[in-house]
Amino acid sequence: MPDHPTVEPEAGAPPLAPTLDERGLARALSGRHFIGGAFVPASSGTTFAVANPATGEAIARAAEGDAADVDAAVREAARAQKAWARLPARKRGALVAQCGAVLRAHSEELARLITLETGKALRTESRIEAQNVADILEFFGGLGGELKGESVPFAPDVLSVTVREPLGVVGAIIPWNVPMLLMALKIAPALVAGNTVVVKSAEEAPLAVLRVCELINRVLPPGCFNILSGFGPECGGPLVAHPLVRKVTFTGSVEVGKIVATAAAQKLIPVTLELGGKSPMLVFADCDFDRTVTGAVTSMRFTRQGQSCTAASRIYVERPIFDRFVAALAARVDAMVMGDPLDEKTDIGTIISDGQFAKVRAFIAEGQATPGATARVCSKLPEDARLAGGKFIQPVIFTGLPDSSRLVQEEIFGPVTVVFPFDDTEAVLAAANDSEYGLAASVWTNNLRRGLDLAHRLEAGLVQINQNLVVQANLSYGGVKSSGLGKEASLESMLEHFTHKKTIMVNYA
Ligand code: NAI
Ligand code: MG
């Protein structure tokens, strides 16, 4: 790997207008949190390196947040919350929708910046994320008027009503795979409901979300939305534990989700957890073959290197079409182009970090060493010398693995899927449900009676028939079993997870 100079934080503020100079923007965002409406350095003065995973080069430094920074941000959020909650709900919504419009104007800039720091391909992934972020803010922005309560029959001369009140300061901890979108799913409903927010970004991807925070702060009053960069235990831990944080929403690993939920329980505050999955895809012989092969490529999120909680990482194919399906899927993935994530020709970029790179490669090596298993290694590593230090992994399609294999049971979070033949509907349903996870599932068949029957019996928060879309505004999203607690993306998610119901009774007898 080439020896890269470290990047010194730049003194100047990031440009106001949208910029397509992602490297300049990364440097300009260096070394700062965003608290109380302004960029501020870490109170300790400490920073850590942010790298471009496609080359290994250092692109920025991020402020290393600790408990003192958390305290400053939470106090600002608590101060801002009182006035924010007193704005009419539809006014808050209108402001959040306006933030969506600002982000839309910056979407190409944000897409380029997120590509630089995560290694996701610009054309197939980052542009879509940037558009979806704006869409989520605009969707929730329209829901201010839906923060309704009820009138409750109690007694003839007692008026009894419920009102929806905000919870206070929300702490949000986000991961690196789709950081802007996963953050938007948390901040938009939280803000519209009258809460204020402190986000702890993922250490691997702190830049695009920091720019999003700055852009949103051009519209919202200072302190409503604050963001800290830093590491999990040192910065995320104090955020969950802070006495003024009244709700925590987390997306990431099961392991950390349990730590967060345990800490929240000590304060008796609610948590929402989105923790990943091992989502099955059930393919019947009567499916539309080509559409289903395309569906498998998109379902597995090969364009995101499989770094998706909803990735169809277990594919079950009815035996009469099994061989043909595996061959067609492998051919399709083989034709995908790996390369510089910023290049328009690139379909597949890189894995996010050294840690994930090592973890995914260990899974692949274990699969390849399993007796009876076949690994179809697809696509080609880029030849460009500039990318020699990049964390590229060729997609692998495994067949012949035993059910007990770690590759079948555990979330790999890489471009690796396992495919099995099946003969019997009940047996494949049992196999699909035999998982610790329950985030998503899909069924591909032209027999809608069978598809609907399976949709009801699959243990998952989201089941799709003949499609496998990513999170969509307006549709509740969230898993069962170890995949998490609570829902995101819908009106119900805003009402249930970012408000509490107060009862007010008026005795006018
Ligand atoms: P992680 O769960 O460690 O990180 C997610 C976030 O939690 C980051 O912001 C991190 O700084 C924070 N965090 C870590 N430890 C914490 C603590 N003790 N207290 C508070 N916050 C803490 O996930 P990681 O290590 O990046 O990835 C490991 C695996 O997790 C992946 O291979 C994948 O299986 C899963 N994952 C699932 C995601 C999803 O979308 N559901 C997203 C990212 C990872
Ligand atoms: Mg971790």
Side-chain angles (χ1 to χ4, degrees):
M1 200 186 286
D3 199 15
H4 291 288
T6 57
V7 173
E8 291 308 321
E10 222 163 62
L16 278 178
T19 170
L20 300 183
D21 172 15
E22 63 282 344
R23 284 165 202 279
L25 183 57
R27 283 193 302 275
L29 289 165
S30 272
R32 289 174 282 189
H33 305 306
F34 202 95
I35 300 175
F39 283 111
V40 291
S43 59
S44 66
T46 317
T47 61
F48 61 93
V50 185
N52 171 0
T55 58
E57 76 192 297
I59 52 167
R61 311 268 323 160
E64 190 175 328
D66 60 15
D69 300 313
V70 167
D71 188 55
V74 172
R75 284 182 190 288
E76 281 297 324
R79 188 193 49 69
Q81 200 259 331
K82 302 216 167 26
W84 178 246
R86 290 191 65 82
L87 284 182
R90 286 190 58 208
K91 172 70 180 168
R92 289 194 304 264
L95 288 169
V96 169
Q98 205 181 318
C99 296
V102 173
L103 295 186
R104 213 175 271 293
H106 284 255
S107 70
E108 184 66 12
E109 163 195 295
L110 293 169
R112 296 188 72 86
L113 184 60
I114 196 92
T115 300
L116 183 69
E117 68 179 328
T118 66
K120 296 196 292 194
L122 176 64
R123 177 178 52 81
T124 57
E125 285 291 331
S126 303
R127 286 200 182 113
I128 298 163
E129 181 180 1
Q131 292 293 337
N132 285 346
V133 170
D135 187 51
I136 289 289
L137 292 180
E138 288 166 352
F139 166 72
F140 279 107
L143 297 183
E146 295 301 320
L147 290 153
K148 297 169 186 164
E150 298 136 341
S151 71
V152 185
F154 178 74
D157 38 15
V158 179
L159 174 68
S160 179
V161 297
T162 60
V163 292
R164 293 275 179 186
E165 292 200 339
L167 300 172
V169 178
V170 171
I173 298 176
I174 56 170
W176 42 263
N177 54 337
V178 217
M180 297 190 293
L181 178 65
L182 298 176
M183 180 170 81
L185 291 174
K186 300 179 187 318
I187 63 165
L191 287 165
V192 172
N195 307 280
T196 53
V197 190
V198 177
V199 172
K200 205 291 281 173
S201 59
E203 44 273 51
E204 298 84 355
L207 301 174
V209 289
L210 176 60
R211 178 66 160 173
V212 168
C213 181
E214 182 217 342
L215 295 173
I216 286 180
N217 270 272
R218 293 185 194 172
V219 178
L220 301 188
C224 289
F225 173 21
N226 312 274
I227 194 162
L228 305 167
S229 45
F231 296 98
E234 295 77 11
C235 189
L239 179 60
V240 179
H242 197 290
L244 291 175
V245 169
R246 303 312 305 156
K247 153 90 198 185
V248 172
T249 169
F250 171 83
T251 301
S253 63
V254 175
E255 179 196 359
V256 176
K258 288 177 182 169
I259 295 173
V260 167
T262 304
Q266 296 307 310
K267 291 163 54 183
L268 295 174
I269 62 166
V271 281
T272 308
L273 304 172
E274 205 277 88
L275 306 178
K278 191 77 184 175
S279 297
M281 171 171 180
L282 277 50
V283 178
F284 286 86
D286 68 354
C287 69
D288 289 345
F289 187 84
D290 288 339
R291 171 177 171 178
T292 307
V293 172
T294 305
V297 175
T298 49
S299 297
M300 186 44 219
R301 316 284 186 251
F302 279 115
T303 52
R304 203 189 299 151
Q305 299 74 255
Q307 299 173 134
S308 162
C309 45
T310 5
S313 47
R314 295 183 289 151
I315 304 180
Y316 298 90
V317 183
E318 209 172 3
R319 197 172 305 269
I321 62 165
F322 177 76
D323 289 338
R324 198 172 135 230
F325 188 88
V326 172
L329 176 61
R332 202 69 74 81
V333 181
D334 207 42
M336 295 172 81
V337 176
M338 288 181 95
D340 180 347
L342 283 163
D343 189 328
E344 299 286 343
K345 289 193 292 297
T346 297
D347 297 310
I348 303 179
T350 70
I351 298 294
I352 184 81
S353 64
D354 289 330
Q356 290 296 115
F357 189 64
K359 180 178 149 184
V360 175
R361 297 218 312 176
F363 271 112
I364 293 171
E366 190 174 318
Q368 285 173 322
T370 304
T374 303
R376 287 164 190 77
V377 180
C378 302
S379 188
K380 284 183 209 58
L381 292 173
E383 283 164 9
D384 187 340
R386 285 180 313 122
L387 305 177
K391 292 175 241 306
F392 292 92
I393 294 184
Q394 286 168 285
V396 188
I397 297 163
F398 277 103
T399 52
L401 283 167
D403 284 344
S404 58
S405 165
R406 252 180 10 109
L407 283 83
V408 183
Q409 298 299 329
E410 296 179 22
E411 181 173 53
I412 299 174
F413 231 65
V416 183
T417 194
V418 297
V419 194
F420 296 95
F422 73 86
D423 300 294
D424 174 74
T425 303
E426 292 306 313
V428 77
L429 176 67
N433 284 341
D434 179 21
S435 170
E436 170 197 0
Y437 291 105
L439 187 56
S442 63
V443 183
W444 301 74
T445 177
N446 273 309
N447 179 342
L448 271 189
R449 174 179 291 162
R450 173 165 61 202
L452 279 170
D453 174 52
L454 288 169
H456 286 286
R457 294 161 73 204
L458 280 160
E459 295 167 2
L462 169 67
V463 183
Q464 300 181 64
I465 300 174
N466 296 332
Q467 65 171 28
N468 205 350
L469 307 176
V470 295
V471 181
Q472 302 289 317
N474 208 16
L475 292 160
S476 283
Y477 181 81
V480 296
K481 297 155 90 177
S482 289
S483 289
L485 272 182
K487 302 291 170 192
E488 298 194 306
S490 59
L491 169 63
E492 299 75 45
S493 75
M494 176 175 81
L495 299 177
E496 285 168 24
H497 301 309
F498 293 109
T499 72
H500 74 92
K501 243 185 203 182
K502 176 186 277 179
T503 299
I504 298 177
M505 299 170 92
V506 185
N507 187 324
Y508 56 89

